[in-house]
Amino acid sequence: MFHLSKKQDKHRDSGRRLITLANPKSPIAEQYRTIRTNLQFTALGATLQTIVVTSASPGEGKSTTASNLAIVYAQLGKRVLLMDCDMRKPTVHFTFQLSGQTGMSTVLAKRTTFDRSVQMTKVPKLHLLAAGPIPPNPSELLASPMMKQLLDEVKEKYDLIILDAPPLMHVADSRLLASETDGTILVVGCDNSNRDLVLKAKEQLVLSGAHMLGIVMNKRERGGKDAYYAYTYE
Amino acid sequence: MKSQTMLLSEIFNVFKKNVLLLMLMMLIGGGAAYYLSQYVIAPTYEASTQVLIVPKEEAGTNVVDSAQVSSSLSLVNTYRVIMRSPAILNEVQERVAQAPTDISEILLVESEEESQVINIVVQYADPVVATDIANVITQVFANEIPDLMNIDNVRILSEAVVPGEPIAPSVVMNTALGLVAGFIVGGVLALIRHTFDKRIHDEREAELILSMPVIGSIPIIEKRDMNPKVVKPKAEAGKEPKGDDPHVPPVKETRQTS
């Protein structure tokens, strides 16, 4: 009845996503570093080179999480590649203010090579492979052998690859990606998640053989906890 | 499953989150009750008289006998019934022109236990009519009793006075009730909203539902978060001592020339 979240969402889309870049010392950026640390502990013993970030429904904060996570990893000195696998509604290149002319779709369709499509971002050591022009058959492209080839190729070039996947609710893309990568993060937006859908999404991911790393709660309401973090951080 | 384990603190949290809804419902409830009792509900006025049943007088004795007192006490009940009987009320009807057709509905005859006093209370929308009815009933009753009972032992103790203030509705009381009712309705609505809310609100809920660890929790990012103002005071403090040479002199110069 009193939720204004949709309006806020529109506002937030306009370049306000890269908080780890704009304000690296803020408590929120610290939260992304906490995710990074938690992932390092989760990965103990196993290789964690490719991470899929997905969510049950659109707008829960996949791209924001993926972008910021890529930045904090790059700030650690790792060579990071961020891949926008959401070829239906690509957004990451807007966030980084880069071109969307070439990317996943052109590489997978073998129209360009990876080396010519990848772009440098303003963050050192962080490279972006945009989604490219919207293709008519994104699922087929992601399921094609070329995708596997591409993953093998980038695994040799980067320490960490973060894949920004489409939402699980409607399409099979993310399950395909999740089954071919080392780990999957499920983003849950506090303001627009549906627990039935989220549970279904998780079950689908587990069924498709994904290695679930954990949940990232996004757009959590601010409470006393934040003040605490801000205080200790200063 | 969840609603069963809902704790008091959780209910309190739900109220806290829906404080706007609660306030709105309380405002509506209280406002409606205030409006109704102030402007819509017709006020009721109360007029009352008192009648005293005196013990039977016996020649030569001025002492009040306890037996006489108890006999007049037992009469009190009889008198109360008589007072409500058509024999009395029909005559009242004739004498008070504006009286409603059913006087017994607005008439309250009461006597306190062990007392010889009967209170006659009339509650009516018109204060003057109420007073008239009360007085006329008392007069008719006092006149009729000697005929009916063969004893003249009824005395009028006090006459009714036209009441200034209505006894009902009580604006303050009703408004308070309206506020409470509004709070209850708001609370129930908030709880319903909470129960049917499919969203996952916090980490604990997410872990419970998905049985997966929560590895991070990002609050809503607002515009002010993007400015590194937490760091600013420190940076400025650090600049001040060494920032003298490049920046400050030109500013001073322009001030002097202008």
Side-chain angles (χ1 to χ4, degrees):
Chain A
M1 219 185 285
F2 299 107
H3 288 291
L4 308 164
S5 44
K6 283 208 171 149
K7 234 177 193 175
Q8 286 174 358
D9 258 356
K10 262 185 196 166
H11 274 286
R12 211 176 308 133
D13 273 336
S14 53
R16 259 201 246 165
R17 296 178 146 185
L18 302 181
I19 185 154
T20 45
L21 203 60
N23 189 1
K25 297 210 168 176
S26 68
I28 299 177
E30 185 58 30
Q31 274 295 307
Y32 284 108
R33 283 191 286 274
T34 307
I35 299 176
R36 185 184 67 192
T37 313
N38 284 339
L39 285 178
Q40 282 165 348
F41 281 118
T42 319
L44 275 182
T47 49
L48 188 59
Q49 204 188 354
T50 47
I51 299 174
V52 171
V53 180
T54 188
S55 69
S57 11
E60 294 200 57
K62 289 174 301 297
S63 302
T64 313
T65 309
S67 307
N68 281 300
L69 204 55
I71 292 172
V72 291
Y73 264 108
Q75 283 167 348
L76 209 62
K78 295 198 175 198
R79 290 169 298 164
V80 182
L81 174 68
L82 179 60
M83 289 167 83
D84 190 355
C85 299
D86 191 347
M87 283 184 273
R88 290 184 169 81
K89 227 178 142 190
T91 52
V92 181
H93 61 279
F94 291 124
T95 313
F96 283 92
Q97 290 159 5
L98 290 171
S99 147
Q101 290 294 312
T102 57
M104 288 285 293
S105 57
T106 53
V107 173
L108 290 179
K110 300 184 189 173
R111 294 224 311 271
T112 55
T113 59
F114 169 75
D115 290 321
R116 287 178 60 187
S117 309
V118 74
Q119 301 175 74
M120 305 244 273
T121 66
K122 51 196 162 189
V123 187
K125 295 208 170 189
L126 173 59
H127 291 181
L128 170 73
L129 183 61
I134 297 173
N137 52 348
S139 294
E140 283 76 14
L141 284 180
L142 285 176
S144 69
M146 189 60 204
M147 181 67 199
K148 223 166 210 170
Q149 225 173 302
L150 175 64
L151 275 177
D152 288 340
E153 187 186 344
V154 295
K155 270 189 205 170
E156 280 171 20
K157 291 179 178 163
Y158 295 92
D159 298 319
L160 184 81
I161 299 113
I162 292 177
L163 297 93
D164 178 18
L168 284 149
M169 196 167 67
H170 307 295
V171 289
D173 303 9
S174 299
R175 283 154 69 193
L176 276 168
L177 290 173
S179 62
E180 295 199 2
T181 48
D182 299 334
T184 304
I185 293 173
L186 190 61
V187 179
V188 174
C190 292
D191 67 339
N192 60 350
S193 60
N194 179 322
R195 61 180 62 152
D196 298 339
L197 287 178
V198 173
L199 189 61
K200 210 173 192 174
K202 186 236 173 181
E203 279 164 1
Q204 284 183 346
L205 282 172
V206 172
L207 271 179
S208 54
H211 175 218
M212 299 304 295
L213 296 170
I215 312 160
V216 169
M217 299 295 289
N218 199 26
K219 295 182 271 189
R220 182 171 50 74
E221 269 174 48
R222 285 157 180 267
K225 228 177 175 180
D226 267 336
Y228 172 73
Y229 277 123
Y231 180 75
T232 49
Y233 197 73
E234 264 184 284
Chain B
M1 183 196 81
K2 232 193 112 257
S3 53
Q4 280 172 356
T5 54
M6 191 184 264
L7 299 168
L8 201 65
S9 63
E10 220 167 315
I11 294 176
F12 182 73
N13 274 337
V14 172
F15 283 179
K16 221 165 79 181
K17 262 182 204 161
N18 291 294
V19 73
L20 213 64
L21 178 71
L22 281 178
M23 300 271 262
L24 188 79
M25 292 320 279
M26 280 175 79
L27 209 71
I28 290 174
Y34 176 80
Y35 178 79
L36 283 177
S37 45
Q38 184 82 319
Y39 301 108
V40 177
I41 298 173
T44 307
Y45 294 88
E46 184 181 277
S48 66
T49 60
Q50 287 181 317
V51 166
L52 180 66
I53 315 297
V54 291
K56 224 186 283 177
E57 283 171 66
E58 279 178 27
T61 48
N62 281 336
V63 187
V64 178
D65 196 323
S66 72
Q68 288 170 344
V69 171
S70 68
S71 78
S72 55
L73 271 180
S74 66
L75 279 175
V76 167
N77 282 326
T78 316
Y79 285 1
R80 282 171 57 189
V81 178
I82 291 173
M83 211 172 284
R84 300 187 68 96
S85 73
I88 306 284
L89 294 186
N90 284 346
E91 202 179 328
V92 176
Q93 198 92 59
E94 282 166 26
R95 286 177 56 179
V96 184
Q98 291 154 293
T101 45
D102 200 354
I103 294 179
S104 62
E105 292 230 319
I106 59 164
L107 175 64
L108 219 72
V109 184
E110 52 195 16
S111 66
E112 269 167 53
E113 247 180 283
E114 301 292 308
S115 97
Q116 290 160 256
V117 177
I118 302 179
N119 290 320
I120 297 142
V121 182
V122 176
Q123 293 177 346
Y124 192 58
D126 190 323
V128 181
V129 175
T131 314
D132 273 359
I133 293 171
N135 283 333
V136 170
I137 286 177
T138 315
Q139 284 160 21
V140 171
F141 178 71
N143 290 339
E144 293 286 316
I145 282 300
D147 292 347
L148 289 167
M149 304 290 287
N150 282 329
I151 31 169
D152 181 17
N153 61 349
V154 174
R155 302 283 179 273
I156 296 173
L157 191 63
S158 67
E159 296 251 310
V161 189
V162 179
E165 289 287 309
I167 51 142
S170 161
V171 176
V172 176
M173 186 73 178
N174 286 359
T175 308
L177 279 175
L179 284 176
V180 171
F183 180 79
I184 291 171
V185 170
V188 169
L189 279 180
L191 285 176
I192 289 175
R193 251 182 75 184
H194 180 79
T195 314
F196 288 95
D197 191 352
K198 284 282 178 189
R199 295 174 300 169
I200 298 174
H201 295 94
D202 52 34
E203 296 88 339
R204 201 176 53 82
E205 230 175 286
E207 283 181 348
L208 206 75
I209 293 168
L210 299 175
S211 52
M212 272 200 305
V214 170
I215 54 171
S217 174
I218 318 295
I220 297 168
I221 301 174
E222 282 161 17
K223 204 170 186 178
R224 62 191 160 96
D225 295 319
M226 302 306 276
N227 310 321
K229 71 176 171 194
V230 183
V231 198
K232 255 186 188 167
K234 276 185 195 167
E236 278 171 4
K239 263 180 196 170
E240 265 172 22
K242 61 182 176 181
D244 274 359
D245 8 312
H247 290 296
V248 181
V251 176
K252 273 182 182 170
E253 271 172 42
T254 50
R255 268 181 195 163
Q256 281 168 348
T257 49
S258 67

